[in-house]
Amino acid sequence: AQEKKEVKSKAGEKASLPCCHEIPSSESLHKYRVYWQKNVTDVVLAYSEGKVISQHERYQNRTEMDPRNLTLWISPLEILDNGSYQCVVQRNSVLVCSESVVLSVTADFSKPNITAEVSADSCELTEMVITCSSHGGFPKARLSGALNNVSMEWNASWVSESSFSPYNVTGKRVLNVTKDVTVTCSVEYSGFATSTSLLLKKTNNCVVPPAPPPYNVITASIIIVITFILAITLAARYLPRHVCSRCCKHQDSVEEGVKEHTKAPMFSKVTAETSSV
C-alpha cells in the first residue's frame, strides 16, 4: 500500500518532498529512472542514466533532486505549487516504488489592521463602525474577533483573483460603545494565526442637564413672588399708621381719665363749704 505523506511550508521558503526509495551506496543514479510528477500528468523533473531528461518550465531553476535519497527540493515556493506529487522509481525498466506526497503551501496574512469610525454619538453611547482587514494570505482564512475577551462575529468578505491566488479578507461590525472596550481581530489559516487589538473609547462623556420646569410652574412661581413683594410693600406703608392711630387713641383716653379724676375732689370741697354755711 502506498503511504500518503504531507509536507507543509510557506511561500518563498524551501520544501523537501521525500521519495520512496534510497539508492544503496554500492549503486549510482545511472542505473535508475526517477520521475517526479505533479497531479500524475505534469512531469516536474525526470532523471535517466544520471541526467535530467525532462523538466517543467514552471519549475525551471527552482527544483533539484538529491542523487542518493531522491528527495525533491523546490525553492522558492509559490502558491501554485500546492498539490499532490508522485515519485516513481524504476531500475532496469522495472518499477521499484511509487509514492505520493501532498504539498501544502501557505502564505502569511498581514497583521490585521483595525479602524473605527464614529457613525453616531450621544451622552448614552457612541455608535462605531469597526473594520478589520488583512491581505496577501493563503489559503482562505477564518476571521474571528473578541470584545473584552468575549467572542464576537465579523461580517467577513474575501477577495481573490483565483483559487490559487492570495486572499484579502475584510470584516465589519457595528458596535454601540457605552464605555471603553478592547476589540480584537484574529486571522486563522492552516494552523497559523495573527491578531491585533484596539482600545475603543467612548467619545462623549457629557452630563445630561436637568430638565427645565414646566411653563405653568414658572408662571405660578412668578405670581407667588410678585404677591409676596406686594404684601411686604403694603405692610411697610400702612402698618406704621395703624399702630400710630391706636397709640393716639389710647393716649387720649388716659388724658380724659386724669382730668375727671382731678375734678372730683374740687366738687366735694365746694359741697362741704356750702353745707357749713
Side-chain angles (χ1 to χ4, degrees), residues 35-85:
Y35 298 91
W36 271 102
Q37 303 171 156
K38 182 183 181 185
N39 301 327
V40 181
T41 56
D42 299 331
V43 177
V44 177
L45 187 64
Y47 274 81
S48 178
E49 297 181 353
K51 297 179 181 179
V52 176
I53 59 173
S54 179
Q55 186 175 31
H56 196 285
E57 60 181 2
R58 209 178 66 76
Y59 289 91
Q60 287 184 359
N61 302 321
R62 293 198 304 123
T63 57
E64 58 179 314
M65 190 185 73
D66 188 284
R68 187 62 60 185
N69 61 22
L70 312 181
T71 295
L72 179 67
W73 291 311
I74 305 176
S75 178
L77 280 175
E78 300 175 357
I79 294 177
L80 285 174
D81 294 335
N82 272 282
S84 178
Y85 292 76

Side-chain angles (χ1 to χ4, degrees), residues 222-236:
I222 294 174
I223 294 174
I224 292 172
V225 171
I226 294 175
T227 304
F228 181 73
I229 294 174
L230 289 175
I232 293 177
T233 304
L234 293 174

Side-chain angles (χ1 to χ4, degrees), residues 82-95:
N82 272 282
S84 178
Y85 292 76
Q86 186 177 29
C87 178
V88 179
V89 182
Q90 295 177 346
R91 186 180 186 276
N92 298 327
S93 300
V94 177
L95 179 65

